Amino acid sequence: MGMFENVIADLLRVDGVRGVAVVSKDGLLIEGQASDRTIDVESVAAMVATIYGTALNVSNEVFHEEAVDMVTLESPKGKIITVEAGENAVLTVLTDPKVNLGLVRIYLKRNAQKVASML
């Protein structure tokens, strides 16, 4: 039973979400779960933190604003969607390719606020 069990369960209930991770901005998995056993959540955590950090650098370079609302990676086999969850963490989901993005975004934002308030 982890600190973010309810957040993870809430996101995994969304149709098409295959994995959820709360990740520190330095790439450590705080807590996560995947319904697909082929997903290595710890490896994904490290890579997601790198992608998010790079997105912040790009935002700073292009927009002169070191802030990113959401980072989405889309591939033919799925999506990885990441949002900030407080000063030191991000919340990320791994989804099927045809997931309802609007619904996922609503759940991500709501749960990112919960994570932020708990860290």
Side-chain angles (χ1 to χ4, degrees):
M1 298 275 214
M3 183 174 172
F4 300 107
E5 183 183 358
N6 291 342
V7 164
I8 291 168
D10 192 44
L11 282 159
L12 283 173
R13 273 194 289 273
V14 178
D15 195 34
V17 172
R18 294 171 35 212
V20 180
V22 178
V23 181
S24 71
K25 284 189 179 167
D26 56 5
L28 297 174
L29 177 67
I30 297 170
E31 198 173 325
Q33 188 181 331
S35 57
D36 182 340
R37 294 191 188 277
T38 64
I39 297 170
D40 180 346
V41 182
E42 284 197 32
S43 294
V44 171
M47 291 184 272
V48 160
T50 301
I51 291 169
Y52 191 81
T54 302
L56 284 176
N57 291 339
V58 171
S59 177
N60 196 24
E61 184 69 31
V62 175
F63 304 118
H64 309 291
E65 174 72 52
E66 199 174 334
V68 171
D69 293 331
M70 183 172 291
V71 177
T72 306
L73 183 153
E74 296 189 31
S75 89
K77 295 204 173 164
K79 299 177 184 3
I80 299 173
I81 306 160
T82 305
V83 296
E84 191 168 65
E87 227 172 279
N88 302 310
V90 296
L91 178 60
T92 193
V93 294
L94 290 72
T95 76
D96 292 330
K98 289 187 160 68
V99 73
N100 179 333
L101 274 179
L103 190 62
V104 170
R105 285 187 174 122
I106 291 166
Y107 274 77
L108 262 175
K109 294 271 188 198
R110 180 172 79 195
N111 283 290
Q113 290 171 338
K114 289 181 193 171
V115 170
S117 70
M118 292 165 77
L119 285 176

